[in-house]
Amino acid sequence: MGEQSYGPPASASIANPAAEPAPGGPVRDHGGALDAAEARFGRPAEGWVDLSTGINPWPWQPGEISADAWNRLPDRAANGRLRHAAARYFGASPDALMAAPGSQALIQAVPRIVRRGHVAILGFTYAEHARCWRLAGHRVTVEESLEAAAGADCVIVTNPNNPDGRQVEPARLLELAGRLAARGGLLVVDEAFADVTPDLSVAAQAGTPGLCVLRSFGKFFGLAGLRLGFALGTGELVRRLEEHLGPWAVAGPALEIGTAAMADAGWIAATRVHLANAARDLDALIECYGLTVIGGTDLFRLAQTPQAVALYGHLGRQGILVRSFDAKPDWLRFGLSPDAAAWERLRAALASFNLAA
């Protein structure tokens, strides 16, 4: 296990980004809820090692932000620069995409601009999809196969999937989008983690009837607090989403940072290699202490053990937060350790837990 995987690429500095905290209770529905973790486990003397998210712990480093980005309402030119940078990054047409204040905002918005009907979600996956479609008045089912989901009015697929990394071939998705479009339906592909597997993405086919692609910026670029995401689809879909979100949906600093980061081809290529190495080394560590790695992406790894509930508590008491799942009590999801100190704390905590107990 090479040491380089636990530090940042040469052009980045170490950081431990935190996602938005959930208000109290056990840390289940989202990662990053350190206040809820402290309510349950207390505040660790050495601080938290937050491995509960799928956020790159070695973020792209923004330069100086212009005064206009802070002082003026975002203008059409700034939006245009981001749109063109994102289009080049995704391999799509600038007319086939729009920016939003985070992909979560889009997960909530898309159900509200689609005619109510039967929505099938390819599960087990991110719980916010089912919640948001139900809140918008749709009938929601969770299906175990793409074939079982295909008869619905709208189909939701997370690709690669969170939390197990399941992959659906782009050709199958595009074929399904065509079938749905023929009867006025829609395929929504959540590609929040596709930056590390770009060949899996269908974003370059945005504009295809029946296809909507959602992309996150903050996970791969490590800047979750910036709140930036993208929807890609037909011109009509993009227009309706922009009208739904209203003017100035994305803050000026986010427009400027996103434009620069998505154009940084050298950082993007180096970071994909770095994350792949770190994920491989994390697999080796997890399996060394008796867990079975059953999936994930290069931004997180999914492990299985009958002792997952006890191990989750043990790690929490050691100040290490991982992701657990009520519906899958033998699963734990591990994010990447940001530095050698965090790595050693995880190793020591795993070593001190008796999986055979």
Side-chain angles (χ1 to χ4, degrees), residues 108-197:
Q108 295 173 212
V110 173
R112 299 186 181 276
I113 67 166
V114 174
R115 184 178 65 249
R116 289 179 182 175
H118 174 204
V119 176
I121 298 173
L122 184 60
F124 175 79
T125 193
Y126 184 49
E128 281 295 301
H129 288 293
R131 187 185 76 86
C132 291
W133 285 91
R134 287 192 179 109
L135 284 174
H138 299 267
R139 179 171 70 88
V140 176
T141 61
V142 179
E143 307 294 346
E144 294 185 358
S145 71
L146 202 61
E147 292 72 20
D153 302 304
C154 184
V155 178
I156 316 298
V157 178
T158 302
N159 197 41
N161 191 46
N162 174 18
D164 62 359
R166 178 194 61 220
Q167 298 185 2
V168 180
E169 296 85 355
R172 294 182 65 198
L173 295 174
L174 294 172
E175 189 273 336
L176 177 57
R179 288 162 55 193
L180 289 167
R183 59 176 191 264
L186 184 68
L187 171 64
V188 179
V189 185
D190 181 348
E191 294 188 348
F193 295 99
D195 300 80
V196 293
T197 52

Side-chain angles (χ1 to χ4, degrees), residues 43-75:
R43 178 171 296 181
E46 298 178 81
W48 283 102
V49 174
D50 184 7
L51 307 182
S52 67
T53 76
I55 300 167
N56 178 2
W58 305 291
W60 187 84
Q61 294 296 301
E64 185 176 352
I65 307 301
S66 70
D68 280 353
W70 295 109
N71 301 336
R72 299 176 59 86
L73 287 171
D75 60 23

